[in-house]
Amino acid sequence: MHFLQKAVRSIVAQVCAIALFFWLYHILVVYIMRETGLDLGALNYSRHFIPLYAVPQLDLSWWIFPALVVCIGFLYFCYKYLLPNTLNPRRLIGIAIVCFLAINISVAQIDGFRELGTEDDPNQILAMLEPYTRSGLEYYGDVPRIHELGLRAFLRDFSKPELFNTLSGHTRTHPPGGVVFLWLVSKIFGYNLVSASLASVLFTALTVIPFYKLAKRLYDEKVALYALLLFLITPNFVMFTTTSMDGPFSVFPILSLYLFYEARERETAPDMTLDTFRPYSLLTGISLALGMFMTYATVVVGVFLCVIALLERKRVVQYLKVLAFAATGFIGFYLLLFVLTGFEPIEALWAAIKKDEASMRKGYESIDRYFHLSFANLFAFLIGVGIPITIVWLRQLISAVKEWKLNSASPELENNQIHIPWIFNPEKSDTFIIGFLITLLFFTFSTLFTMEVERIWIFMVPFLVIPVAKYLTARPRSDLYWVAGMLVVQLIISEVLLYTYW
């Protein structure tokens, strides 16, 4: 590796070191689970690659070649055309959507076909469609219930035992939005596996729009371009988008982030009054409500927005106004839904909590299990988002913390006012990174999630990818190529060696 520059050698070495750490962690936790009976929710030490909800399984066939061609072709296309040239944002987003579809579908098909049925009556199906066939577990199996009852009756009776107890496993631990989404798809394209899968990945492809705009709003066009390119090859987002509903679930949480920062820029000026109409704030709340209608995990974004308001306390009054309008949009959505259909979100949430506790236990029955679950959640997410991204994100995080400490080292005088040291200066400290760190640690140790977060938390990918892009824009472009190349390697190896159910 003598031909590599020092910075690249450092990143490669750290990626190898962290990969080794996660491997040793896997061995240790498997030993503890086997010897002590440690319970990590749905994970089984004899079957799963702890801490991931995945089974080690080699799937190597000629189906790997389309994925290799697409992924390597994407890297070459970035090197030859996207990075050296300045593209119109609309054209860039259009190219990104096409690349998103090609990468996601080709990688999902590395597994080829799956065998369904029996030896006497075999039935093969495309790997990307297989998850939707598990009608006892997936939202797709409940679409006929809406056809049978009607949408209004389905939502009205959703949390009532007579209907709730007959629904699939995932529908009972989530809001009804997933089923409603697939029902709408079936009304347009018919009730079949192909339309359900393709509509899911097509809808998820829309995330590139708010993702790019968010990165541009936070930093600049160069950071947004780098972030977009890395986003398209982030392992967990690619692996779970085509084969699970967590892809569509991620659209509104990511959109909410963009709308909030747009409101932050446009609607927190000191001269803004409470009665001033705040469309972006209101839309933030509506987007959060739509996200919460599809997955309760959207609460992560809501907490993050509150954390940002507390960090930037110099503008806390303006932030409270933004959050108040967002809350109005959020509550207004559910009030309207209740009036139109009779849907009761609190009852639905309580029913989901009870169902999840019955399956996974609460997660804090003992200190030992609490800490094992918390750290396993954190490590599963960091592995899923990509070890190269994790390494560079940690570098940028350390830089942001040092910058904050430096800016807060001593009080400053400006306009005869004292700046309190621990209050963030949004122009000098990166509250996006610090705020997410606080939010991530809170939910890591909150007991609200019991594993599988490498899939459930894919909407949190922007929190890591955008700071990574910011870090890489200050480095030689070759660093970006190395990080992207290692991400593709992890993505392909993970899909070949692991069966992830979705």
Side-chain angles (χ1 to χ4, degrees):
M1 292 172 51
H2 63 279
F3 60 95
L4 299 179
Q5 57 176 305
K6 184 178 179 180
V8 170
R9 287 202 303 270
S10 175
I11 292 176
V12 173
Q14 289 176 11
V15 166
C16 294
I18 293 296
L20 177 61
F21 168 79
F22 285 137
W23 173 254
L24 294 175
Y25 170 78
H26 161 75
I27 294 174
L28 175 64
V29 174
V30 166
Y31 173 79
I32 293 173
M33 293 178 74
R34 183 176 63 245
E35 298 299 321
T36 68
L38 172 67
D39 180 8
L40 292 181
L43 272 63
N44 186 312
Y45 73 86
S46 64
R47 187 166 68 247
H48 296 123
F49 187 78
I50 311 296
L52 304 179
Y53 188 55
V55 177
Q57 177 177 300
L58 179 64
D59 286 302
L60 189 59
S61 68
W62 71 269
W63 281 97
I64 194 175
F65 291 108
L68 286 173
V69 169
V70 169
C71 290
I72 295 174
F74 170 73
L75 295 179
Y76 178 77
F77 184 73
C78 292
Y79 166 77
K80 192 71 174 178
Y81 299 104
L82 292 186
L83 290 169
N85 302 306
T86 302
L87 294 179
N88 179 283
R90 291 185 178 180
R91 178 177 294 182
L92 176 63
I93 288 174
I95 292 172
I97 289 175
V98 172
C99 291
F100 182 96
L101 298 174
I103 293 170
N104 280 261
I105 292 174
S106 64
V107 170
Q109 271 306 116
I110 286 178
D111 296 339
F113 286 87
R114 292 294 182 190
E115 295 284 350
L116 301 179
T118 64
E119 292 184 3
D120 298 329
D121 184 24
N123 182 25
Q124 287 191 328
I125 190 169
L126 290 171
M128 62 180 286
L129 303 180
E130 182 211 5
Y132 292 87
T133 66
R134 298 193 289 262
S135 58
L137 184 64
E138 299 297 337
Y139 315 93
Y140 179 79
D142 295 322
V143 172
R145 299 306 307 273
I146 303 183
H147 286 296
E148 173 190 343
L149 300 173
L151 179 61
R152 184 175 180 276
F154 179 82
L155 292 176
R156 182 194 63 212
D157 300 335
F158 178 78
S159 56
K160 295 180 180 178
E162 296 81 7
L163 175 61
F164 188 81
N165 292 337
T166 67
L167 300 175
S168 63
H170 279 163
T171 301
R172 285 185 287 166
T173 55
H174 289 74
V179 184
V180 173
F181 172 83
L182 291 175
W183 172 75
L184 291 172
V185 169
S186 72
K187 294 287 285 185
I188 301 171
F189 302 105
Y191 181 60
N192 58 79
L193 295 172
V194 174
S195 66
S197 178
L198 291 181
S200 295
V201 70
L202 282 168
F203 183 70
T204 309
L206 297 176
T207 55
V208 303
I209 303 173
F211 179 88
Y212 176 81
K213 288 182 174 293
L214 171 64
K216 185 177 177 181
R217 168 57 68 195
L218 286 169
Y219 303 112
D220 55 44
E221 287 190 7
K222 186 176 181 181
V223 172
L225 174 61
Y226 277 37
L228 185 59
L229 301 184
L230 292 173
F231 177 65
L232 296 176
I233 51 175
T234 300
N236 62 344
F237 211 92
V238 173
M239 292 174 66
F240 296 111
T241 288
T242 308
T243 54
S244 79
M245 281 298 294
D246 289 280
F249 290 173
S250 68
V251 175
F252 291 112
I254 294 176
L255 176 61
S256 301
L257 281 174
Y258 163 67
L259 291 171
F260 171 77
Y261 275 97
E262 202 60 45
R264 173 184 185 262
E265 183 68 21
R266 296 168 181 256
E267 301 170 4
T268 58
D271 57 347
M272 293 286 285
T273 60
L274 185 59
D275 59 348
T276 304
F277 180 58
R278 300 168 184 264
Y280 285 97
S281 302
L282 197 65
L283 289 172
T284 299
I286 295 172
S287 182
L288 283 171
L290 287 166
M292 192 71 77
F293 187 62
M294 301 186 82
T295 173
Y296 293 121
T298 304
V299 68
V300 173
V301 176
V303 170
F304 170 78
L305 304 188
C306 296
V307 169
I308 292 297
L310 292 174
L311 287 178
E312 299 185 14
R313 290 187 59 179
K314 289 170 65 177
R315 294 193 292 178
V316 67
V317 174
Q318 287 76 26
Y319 273 117
L320 288 176
K321 294 174 184 177
V322 170
L323 293 176
F325 272 81
T328 300
F330 184 91
I331 295 171
F333 171 86
Y334 279 103
L335 281 177
L336 180 63
L337 192 63
F338 175 77
V339 170
L340 295 178
T341 68
F343 175 69
E344 299 183 11
I346 303 301
E347 286 192 8
L349 172 62
W350 184 247
I353 290 173
K354 289 302 176 184
K355 172 64 174 64
D356 187 66
E357 287 182 355
S359 301
M360 302 289 187
R361 300 163 64 190
K362 293 181 180 180
Y364 50 86
E365 292 84 354
S366 68
I367 294 294
D368 181 58
R369 184 171 189 251
Y370 168 75
F371 280 106
H372 274 295
L373 276 173
S374 299
F375 282 107
N377 277 335
L378 178 62
F379 293 158
F381 174 65
L382 295 179
I383 293 171
V385 82
I387 294 175
I389 285 179
T390 296
I391 290 297
V392 182
W393 176 73
L394 288 172
R395 287 186 168 204
Q396 180 62 19
L397 175 64
I398 292 171
S399 175
V401 171
K402 287 181 178 178
E403 183 181 59
W404 166 61
K405 288 183 176 179
L406 181 63
N407 293 332
S408 304
S410 60
E412 299 177 3
L413 290 175
E414 183 178 324
N415 298 328
N416 298 321
Q417 293 183 355
I418 295 180
H419 288 183
I420 301 175
W422 54 268
I423 293 182
F424 278 74
N425 184 337
E427 296 181 358
K428 294 184 178 181
S429 302
D430 199 331
T431 55
F432 183 75
I433 299 176
I434 304 296
F436 173 65
L437 175 65
I438 295 171
T439 305
L440 177 64
L441 292 177
F442 172 77
F443 281 100
T444 294
F445 294 96
S446 67
T447 75
L448 294 175
F449 296 92
T450 309
M451 305 311 301
E452 303 181 53
V453 294
E454 67 272 19
R455 172 179 57 85
I456 298 170
W457 286 356
I458 64 172
F459 65 88
M460 292 162 63
V461 163
F463 290 113
L464 277 79
V465 172
I466 295 176
V468 166
K470 179 188 177 185
Y471 179 89
L472 292 174
T473 55
R475 308 295 306 171
R477 189 174 290 173
S478 58
D479 288 16
L480 171 66
Y481 297 142
W482 277 99
V483 170
M486 288 187 288
L487 279 176
V488 167
V489 170
Q490 178 179 336
L491 172 61
I492 298 297
I493 289 177
S494 298
E495 190 66 36
V496 169
L497 296 182
L498 298 175
Y499 172 64
T500 57
Y501 299 98
W502 295 278

PDB file of all heavy atoms in Angstrom, residues 70-87:
ATOM      1  N   VAL A  70     -23.244  -2.648 -12.651  1.00  0.00           N
ATOM      2  CA  VAL A  70     -23.957  -1.419 -12.294  1.00  0.00           C
ATOM      3  C   VAL A  70     -23.167  -0.602 -11.275  1.00  0.00           C
ATOM      4  O   VAL A  70     -22.992   0.617 -11.424  1.00  0.00           O
ATOM      5  CB  VAL A  70     -25.363  -1.751 -11.755  1.00  0.00           C
ATOM      6  CG1 VAL A  70     -25.999  -0.515 -11.129  1.00  0.00           C
ATOM      7  CG2 VAL A  70     -26.251  -2.280 -12.873  1.00  0.00           C
ATOM      8  N   CYS A  71     -22.671  -1.245 -10.208  1.00  0.00           N
ATOM      9  CA  CYS A  71     -21.974  -0.520  -9.150  1.00  0.00           C
ATOM     10  C   CYS A  71     -20.632   0.040  -9.623  1.00  0.00           C
ATOM     11  O   CYS A  71     -20.299   1.204  -9.361  1.00  0.00           O
ATOM     12  CB  CYS A  71     -21.762  -1.438  -7.946  1.00  0.00           C
ATOM     13  SG  CYS A  71     -23.280  -1.854  -7.061  1.00  0.00           S
ATOM     14  N   ILE A  72     -19.863  -0.779 -10.326  1.00  0.00           N
ATOM     15  CA  ILE A  72     -18.583  -0.292 -10.845  1.00  0.00           C
ATOM     16  C   ILE A  72     -18.818   0.760 -11.921  1.00  0.00           C
ATOM     17  O   ILE A  72     -18.104   1.770 -11.993  1.00  0.00           O
ATOM     18  CB  ILE A  72     -17.747  -1.467 -11.391  1.00  0.00           C
ATOM     19  CG1 ILE A  72     -17.372  -2.415 -10.238  1.00  0.00           C
ATOM     20  CG2 ILE A  72     -16.489  -0.959 -12.087  1.00  0.00           C
ATOM     21  CD1 ILE A  72     -16.666  -3.675 -10.684  1.00  0.00           C
ATOM     22  N   GLY A  73     -19.835   0.521 -12.742  1.00  0.00           N
ATOM     23  CA  GLY A  73     -20.187   1.518 -13.753  1.00  0.00           C
ATOM     24  C   GLY A  73     -20.599   2.831 -13.122  1.00  0.00           C
ATOM     25  O   GLY A  73     -20.272   3.911 -13.642  1.00  0.00           O
ATOM     26  N   PHE A  74     -21.298   2.767 -12.004  1.00  0.00           N
ATOM     27  CA  PHE A  74     -21.697   3.987 -11.293  1.00  0.00           C
ATOM     28  C   PHE A  74     -20.470   4.743 -10.795  1.00  0.00           C
ATOM     29  O   PHE A  74     -20.387   5.981 -10.945  1.00  0.00           O
ATOM     30  CB  PHE A  74     -22.614   3.635 -10.123  1.00  0.00           C
ATOM     31  CG  PHE A  74     -22.880   4.775  -9.190  1.00  0.00           C
ATOM     32  CD1 PHE A  74     -23.714   5.813  -9.566  1.00  0.00           C
ATOM     33  CD2 PHE A  74     -22.283   4.821  -7.924  1.00  0.00           C
ATOM     34  CE1 PHE A  74     -23.950   6.879  -8.706  1.00  0.00           C
ATOM     35  CE2 PHE A  74     -22.521   5.881  -7.065  1.00  0.00           C
ATOM     36  CZ  PHE A  74     -23.354   6.910  -7.465  1.00  0.00           C
ATOM     37  N   LEU A  75     -19.504   4.025 -10.209  1.00  0.00           N
ATOM     38  CA  LEU A  75     -18.288   4.680  -9.738  1.00  0.00           C
ATOM     39  C   LEU A  75     -17.525   5.329 -10.891  1.00  0.00           C
ATOM     40  O   LEU A  75     -17.024   6.453 -10.768  1.00  0.00           O
ATOM     41  CB  LEU A  75     -17.392   3.667  -9.009  1.00  0.00           C
ATOM     42  CG  LEU A  75     -17.942   3.081  -7.706  1.00  0.00           C
ATOM     43  CD1 LEU A  75     -16.952   2.080  -7.114  1.00  0.00           C
ATOM     44  CD2 LEU A  75     -18.263   4.170  -6.691  1.00  0.00           C
ATOM     45  N   TYR A  76     -17.449   4.634 -12.013  1.00  0.00           N
ATOM     46  CA  TYR A  76     -16.752   5.180 -13.172  1.00  0.00           C
ATOM     47  C   TYR A  76     -17.490   6.408 -13.709  1.00  0.00           C
ATOM     48  O   TYR A  76     -16.871   7.409 -14.087  1.00  0.00           O
ATOM     49  CB  TYR A  76     -16.630   4.129 -14.269  1.00  0.00           C
ATOM     50  CG  TYR A  76     -15.960   4.650 -15.527  1.00  0.00           C
ATOM     51  CD1 TYR A  76     -14.581   4.820 -15.578  1.00  0.00           C
ATOM     52  CD2 TYR A  76     -16.714   4.999 -16.647  1.00  0.00           C
ATOM     53  CE1 TYR A  76     -13.967   5.319 -16.721  1.00  0.00           C
ATOM     54  CE2 TYR A  76     -16.112   5.500 -17.792  1.00  0.00           C
ATOM     55  CZ  TYR A  76     -14.740   5.655 -17.820  1.00  0.00           C
ATOM     56  OH  TYR A  76     -14.136   6.158 -18.949  1.00  0.00           O
ATOM     57  N   PHE A  77     -18.816   6.334 -13.739  1.00  0.00           N
ATOM     58  CA  PHE A  77     -19.630   7.446 -14.221  1.00  0.00           C
ATOM     59  C   PHE A  77     -19.422   8.680 -13.341  1.00  0.00           C
ATOM     60  O   PHE A  77     -19.326   9.810 -13.837  1.00  0.00           O
ATOM     61  CB  PHE A  77     -21.098   7.034 -14.233  1.00  0.00           C
ATOM     62  CG  PHE A  77     -22.025   8.067 -14.807  1.00  0.00           C
ATOM     63  CD1 PHE A  77     -22.051   8.317 -16.173  1.00  0.00           C
ATOM     64  CD2 PHE A  77     -22.875   8.790 -13.982  1.00  0.00           C
ATOM     65  CE1 PHE A  77     -22.899   9.278 -16.699  1.00  0.00           C
ATOM     66  CE2 PHE A  77     -23.734   9.735 -14.501  1.00  0.00           C
ATOM     67  CZ  PHE A  77     -23.743   9.985 -15.867  1.00  0.00           C
ATOM     68  N   CYS A  78     -19.331   8.455 -12.023  1.00  0.00           N
ATOM     69  CA  CYS A  78     -19.070   9.568 -11.107  1.00  0.00           C
ATOM     70  C   CYS A  78     -17.697  10.175 -11.383  1.00  0.00           C
ATOM     71  O   CYS A  78     -17.532  11.397 -11.432  1.00  0.00           O
ATOM     72  CB  CYS A  78     -19.141   9.088  -9.661  1.00  0.00           C
ATOM     73  SG  CYS A  78     -20.792   8.597  -9.120  1.00  0.00           S
ATOM     74  N   TYR A  79     -16.697   9.295 -11.551  1.00  0.00           N
ATOM     75  CA  TYR A  79     -15.323   9.745 -11.788  1.00  0.00           C
ATOM     76  C   TYR A  79     -15.197  10.502 -13.107  1.00  0.00           C
ATOM     77  O   TYR A  79     -14.524  11.528 -13.179  1.00  0.00           O
ATOM     78  CB  TYR A  79     -14.402   8.525 -11.778  1.00  0.00           C
ATOM     79  CG  TYR A  79     -13.016   8.786 -12.333  1.00  0.00           C
ATOM     80  CD1 TYR A  79     -12.062   9.449 -11.567  1.00  0.00           C
ATOM     81  CD2 TYR A  79     -12.666   8.362 -13.612  1.00  0.00           C
ATOM     82  CE1 TYR A  79     -10.798   9.701 -12.071  1.00  0.00           C
ATOM     83  CE2 TYR A  79     -11.402   8.604 -14.123  1.00  0.00           C
ATOM     84  CZ  TYR A  79     -10.470   9.270 -13.346  1.00  0.00           C
ATOM     85  OH  TYR A  79      -9.213   9.516 -13.856  1.00  0.00           O
ATOM     86  N   LYS A  80     -15.863  10.009 -14.135  1.00  0.00           N
ATOM     87  CA  LYS A  80     -15.663  10.548 -15.474  1.00  0.00           C
ATOM     88  C   LYS A  80     -16.555  11.752 -15.758  1.00  0.00           C
ATOM     89  O   LYS A  80     -16.137  12.700 -16.445  1.00  0.00           O
ATOM     90  CB  LYS A  80     -15.944   9.447 -16.499  1.00  0.00           C
ATOM     91  CG  LYS A  80     -15.498   9.770 -17.917  1.00  0.00           C
ATOM     92  CD  LYS A  80     -13.991   9.759 -18.042  1.00  0.00           C
ATOM     93  CE  LYS A  80     -13.574   9.948 -19.496  1.00  0.00           C
ATOM     94  NZ  LYS A  80     -12.108   9.996 -19.636  1.00  0.00           N
ATOM     95  N   TYR A  81     -17.798  11.734 -15.242  1.00  0.00           N
ATOM     96  CA  TYR A  81     -18.764  12.743 -15.674  1.00  0.00           C
ATOM     97  C   TYR A  81     -19.344  13.600 -14.546  1.00  0.00           C
ATOM     98  O   TYR A  81     -19.463  14.819 -14.680  1.00  0.00           O
ATOM     99  CB  TYR A  81     -19.918  12.075 -16.432  1.00  0.00           C
ATOM    100  CG  TYR A  81     -19.462  11.350 -17.673  1.00  0.00           C
ATOM    101  CD1 TYR A  81     -19.365   9.958 -17.687  1.00  0.00           C
ATOM    102  CD2 TYR A  81     -19.102  12.050 -18.823  1.00  0.00           C
ATOM    103  CE1 TYR A  81     -18.943   9.281 -18.820  1.00  0.00           C
ATOM    104  CE2 TYR A  81     -18.672  11.380 -19.964  1.00  0.00           C
ATOM    105  CZ  TYR A  81     -18.592   9.995 -19.954  1.00  0.00           C
ATOM    106  OH  TYR A  81     -18.159   9.331 -21.075  1.00  0.00           O
ATOM    107  N   LEU A  82     -19.740  12.967 -13.431  1.00  0.00           N
ATOM    108  CA  LEU A  82     -20.459  13.723 -12.408  1.00  0.00           C
ATOM    109  C   LEU A  82     -19.561  14.656 -11.609  1.00  0.00           C
ATOM    110  O   LEU A  82     -19.897  15.821 -11.377  1.00  0.00           O
ATOM    111  CB  LEU A  82     -21.191  12.765 -11.464  1.00  0.00           C
ATOM    112  CG  LEU A  82     -22.358  11.976 -12.068  1.00  0.00           C
ATOM    113  CD1 LEU A  82     -23.070  11.194 -10.989  1.00  0.00           C
ATOM    114  CD2 LEU A  82     -23.334  12.907 -12.782  1.00  0.00           C
ATOM    115  N   LEU A  83     -18.428  14.159 -11.161  1.00  0.00           N
ATOM    116  CA  LEU A  83     -17.572  14.975 -10.301  1.00  0.00           C
ATOM    117  C   LEU A  83     -16.793  16.053 -11.048  1.00  0.00           C
ATOM    118  O   LEU A  83     -16.652  17.173 -10.541  1.00  0.00           O
ATOM    119  CB  LEU A  83     -16.618  14.065  -9.517  1.00  0.00           C
ATOM    120  CG  LEU A  83     -17.327  13.220  -8.447  1.00  0.00           C
ATOM    121  CD1 LEU A  83     -16.403  12.161  -7.904  1.00  0.00           C
ATOM    122  CD2 LEU A  83     -17.844  14.110  -7.323  1.00  0.00           C
ATOM    123  N   PRO A  84     -16.271  15.787 -12.240  1.00  0.00           N
ATOM    124  CA  PRO A  84     -15.509  16.849 -12.923  1.00  0.00           C
ATOM    125  C   PRO A  84     -16.373  17.968 -13.478  1.00  0.00           C
ATOM    126  O   PRO A  84     -15.871  19.049 -13.786  1.00  0.00           O
ATOM    127  CB  PRO A  84     -14.811  16.099 -14.073  1.00  0.00           C
ATOM    128  CG  PRO A  84     -14.934  14.651 -13.753  1.00  0.00           C
ATOM    129  CD  PRO A  84     -16.187  14.522 -12.966  1.00  0.00           C
ATOM    130  N   ASN A  85     -17.672  17.722 -13.644  1.00  0.00           N
ATOM    131  CA  ASN A  85     -18.536  18.693 -14.317  1.00  0.00           C
ATOM    132  C   ASN A  85     -19.561  19.282 -13.346  1.00  0.00           C
ATOM    133  O   ASN A  85     -19.919  18.660 -12.348  1.00  0.00           O
ATOM    134  CB  ASN A  85     -19.272  18.041 -15.492  1.00  0.00           C
ATOM    135  CG  ASN A  85     -18.304  17.447 -16.495  1.00  0.00           C
ATOM    136  OD1 ASN A  85     -17.403  18.126 -16.977  1.00  0.00           O
ATOM    137  ND2 ASN A  85     -18.461  16.163 -16.797  1.00  0.00           N
ATOM    138  N   THR A  86     -20.039  20.461 -13.668  1.00  0.00           N
ATOM    139  CA  THR A  86     -21.114  21.091 -12.902  1.00  0.00           C
ATOM    140  C   THR A  86     -22.428  20.848 -13.621  1.00  0.00           C
ATOM    141  O   THR A  86     -22.634  21.298 -14.744  1.00  0.00           O
ATOM    142  CB  THR A  86     -20.882  22.605 -12.768  1.00  0.00           C
ATOM    143  OG1 THR A  86     -19.622  22.825 -12.127  1.00  0.00           O
ATOM    144  CG2 THR A  86     -21.988  23.241 -11.952  1.00  0.00           C
ATOM    145  N   LEU A  87     -23.311  20.086 -12.972  1.00  0.00           N
ATOM    146  CA  LEU A  87     -24.582  19.726 -13.591  1.00  0.00           C
ATOM    147  C   LEU A  87     -25.715  20.559 -13.022  1.00  0.00           C
ATOM    148  O   LEU A  87     -25.688  20.974 -11.852  1.00  0.00           O
ATOM    149  CB  LEU A  87     -24.896  18.241 -13.360  1.00  0.00           C
ATOM    150  CG  LEU A  87     -23.962  17.223 -14.020  1.00  0.00           C
ATOM    151  CD1 LEU A  87     -24.419  15.817 -13.665  1.00  0.00           C
ATOM    152  CD2 LEU A  87     -23.943  17.395 -15.524  1.00  0.00           C
TER     153      LEU A  87
END
